[in-house]
């Protein structure tokens, strides 16, 4: 048992390592199929997607390039704050390229749709999106991912790159956080 999982903030495990690996095998095959034989640039959104992106790209046997963007929308624990975007790829890295934007979770949709627009404005030839988790019930901006690993209910999750107050990114599973105000049972 991972000792991080026995913390009273953690309610339950939603996705185990083998489920995650099997699903990423499938999605990376779909991505390879969609792009083959063309080269493209994978743009992971830091910090949350670093674990997912690293597992994903190692399963795609195509000549891809990597370049990172940075975004932050959860500055106050679980509630979305103002969206900050930064550290975009240079023009040379994306101009005329097919881009696959990779994020940890699609929630309201603000982050991914803003980043997609910004990359197109900066000269990307086309931008597709791939998310590890999708919470469709929370959507505020109309956006559907081109590739998605798991659809989840509206619970705050941590692990596999996702954090709460900077913690839990290194959990190898996805776990639901206990709802705020709930006393930890047991
Ligand atoms: P939007 O609302 O722009 O949000 O689609 C995407 C970003 O919000 C963060 N997010 C979460 N982070 N557990 C987290 O650790 C969650 O359940 C969660 N829901 C949204 C995340 O940073 C994502 O990139």
């Amino acid at each position: 048992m991972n000792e991080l999982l026995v913390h009273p903030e953690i309610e339950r495990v939603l996705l185990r390592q083998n489920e995650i690996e099997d699903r990423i095998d499938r999605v990376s095959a779909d991505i390879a199929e969609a792009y083959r034989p063309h080269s493209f640039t994978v743009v992971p959104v830091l910090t949350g997607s670093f674990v997912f992106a690293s597992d994903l790209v190692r399963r795609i046997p195509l000549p891809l390039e990597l370049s990172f963007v940075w975004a932050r929308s959860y500055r106050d624990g679980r509630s979305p704050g103002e969206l900050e975007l930064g550290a975009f790829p240079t023009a040379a890295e994306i101009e005329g390229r097919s881009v696959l934007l990779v994020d940890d979770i699609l929630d309201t949709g603000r982050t991914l749709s803003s980043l997609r627009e910004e990359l197109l404005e900066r000269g990307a030839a086309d931008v597709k999106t791939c998310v590890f988790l999708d919470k469709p019930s929370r959507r505020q901006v109309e956006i559907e991912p081109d590739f998605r690993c798991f659809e989840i209910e509206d619970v705050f999750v941590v692990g596999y790159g996702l954090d709460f107050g900077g913690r839990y990114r290194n959990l190898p599973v996805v776990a639901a956080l206990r709802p705020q105000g709930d006393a930890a049972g047991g």
Side-chain angles (χ1 to χ4, degrees):
M1 165 65 92
N2 186 314
E3 60 196 82
L4 277 173
L5 282 175
V6 296
H7 194 286
E9 279 173 346
I10 301 286
E11 186 178 60
R12 66 200 150 101
V13 171
L14 279 188
L15 298 167
R16 305 199 168 272
Q17 266 172 285
N18 61 335
E19 285 176 79
I20 294 173
E21 282 164 16
D22 290 352
R23 185 65 191 136
I24 298 179
D25 281 345
R26 186 65 256 155
V27 169
S28 54
D30 291 345
I31 291 171
E33 190 60 35
Y35 283 98
R36 188 175 281 118
H38 303 289
S39 164
F40 60 108
T41 301
V42 175
V43 177
V45 183
L46 295 175
T47 303
S49 77
F50 83 106
V51 178
F52 173 49
S54 111
D55 279 348
L56 187 74
V57 295
R58 285 179 291 167
R59 287 170 165 88
I60 303 175
L62 296 178
L64 58 82
E65 291 174 17
L66 267 168
S67 184
F68 298 85
V69 291
W70 177 89
R72 183 192 292 176
S73 66
Y74 274 73
R75 288 187 297 180
D76 168 26
R78 306 178 194 204
S79 343
E82 200 180 311
L83 185 61
E84 288 179 55
L85 307 177
F88 278 91
T90 63
E93 288 173 315
I94 51 161
E95 251 172 25
R97 302 272 305 166
S98 290
V99 168
L100 179 66
L101 194 52
V102 173
D103 207 357
D104 53 357
I105 187 163
L106 182 56
D107 189 74
T108 65
R110 292 187 312 146
T111 309
L112 224 48
S113 78
S114 304
L115 286 171
R116 187 174 61 184
E117 287 311 307
E118 190 68 39
L119 288 166
L120 286 168
E121 271 173 30
R122 288 168 184 246
D126 60 272
V127 178
K128 289 195 192 324
T129 55
C130 173
V131 296
F132 175 56
L133 302 177
D134 186 9
K135 282 186 194 171
S137 62
R138 295 255 313 162
R139 206 76 91 249
Q140 290 173 9
V141 174
E142 215 175 296
I143 181 168
E144 274 298 305
D146 295 288
F147 306 95
R148 151 181 59 206
C149 289
F150 299 97
E151 194 174 300
I152 60 164
E153 60 201 283
D154 181 14
V155 288
F156 196 87
V157 289
V158 294
Y160 200 69
L162 292 140
D163 76 309
F164 176 57
R167 287 171 293 125
Y168 302 114
R169 291 196 197 277
N170 56 325
L171 260 183
V173 299
V174 173
L177 224 54
R178 206 171 287 284
Q180 264 166 334
D182 261 26

